[in-house]
Structures are given as C-alpha cells and as structure tokens.
C-alpha cells in the first residue's frame, strides 16, 4: 500500500477486486487514469496502457491467491495464477 508499480501489460480497470465486477469506462477514471487509458472515448471500456505507473491504495489478496490493487481509478489485477502483471 502506498507504493508505485509499473504495469507490464495493458490492464482492465474494474469497479471491484475481481473479474466478476464490471469494467469501468474511461469517463469514470481519474484525470491521470484517462491520460493512461488506451482510448480517449469516455464511453469505452477502461484499459490502462502497459508502462503506466500506478499507486496502490490497497492490496487485496483473494482466497484463490489472486492479488488485486485498488488504485485511484478503480481496481486492477496484479497477479492471477502464476501470471504477474506489475513490477
């Protein structure tokens, strides 16, 4: 929590910590999130570009071992199974 991480791949921004939550739209992101989004269309699904630096407000470890980060714009998956999406 409070640390900065760099995305190793494009990541979807969700409304909650899990794939069962809806994607946010670009228009629902913070100003910084909108700048880092792959689309400028405010109604498009929110996907952050690879290389984006995010600040973790909260780290959430799910019962299945997946790790999600709460960032100012929403939630992103940091680790799923053996795949790690941040550094």
């Amino acid at each position: 929590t409070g640390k900065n991480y760099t995305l190793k791949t494009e990541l979807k921004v969700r409304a909650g910590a899990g794939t069962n939550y809806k994607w946010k739209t670009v228009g629902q992101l913070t100003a910084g999130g909108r700048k880092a989004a792959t689309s400028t269309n405010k109604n498009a699904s929110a996907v952050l570009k690879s290389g984006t630096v995010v600040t973790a407000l909260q780290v959430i470890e799910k019962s299945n071992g997946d790790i999600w980060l709460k960032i100012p714009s929403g939630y992103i998956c940091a680790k799923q199974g053996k795949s790690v999406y941040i550094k």
Side-chain angles (χ1 to χ4, degrees):
T1 302
K3 292 176 93 177
N4 290 335
Y5 297 94
T6 303
L7 306 188
K8 293 170 40 175
T9 187
E10 292 181 353
L11 287 177
K12 301 169 188 170
V13 182
R14 296 193 179 263
T19 56
N20 55 319
Y21 289 92
K22 286 185 174 187
W23 283 17
K24 286 195 157 191
T25 63
V26 172
Q28 293 174 310
L29 301 179
T30 63
R34 288 191 298 274
K35 287 180 185 175
T38 58
S39 174
T40 57
N41 180 337
K42 69 178 183 177
N43 296 316
S45 296
V47 179
L48 299 180
K49 296 174 190 167
S50 177
T52 299
V53 176
V54 297
T55 302
L57 302 177
Q58 183 180 5
V59 177
I60 301 147
E61 186 168 354
K62 306 291 274 186
S63 59
N64 63 1
D66 291 353
I67 298 174
W68 287 77
L69 298 182
K70 181 178 181 184
I71 62 173
S73 285
Y75 295 82
I76 58 171
C77 186
K79 178 184 173 288
Q80 187 173 38
K82 293 185 179 186
S83 299
V84 179
Y85 305 116
I86 62 168
K87 60 180 176 177

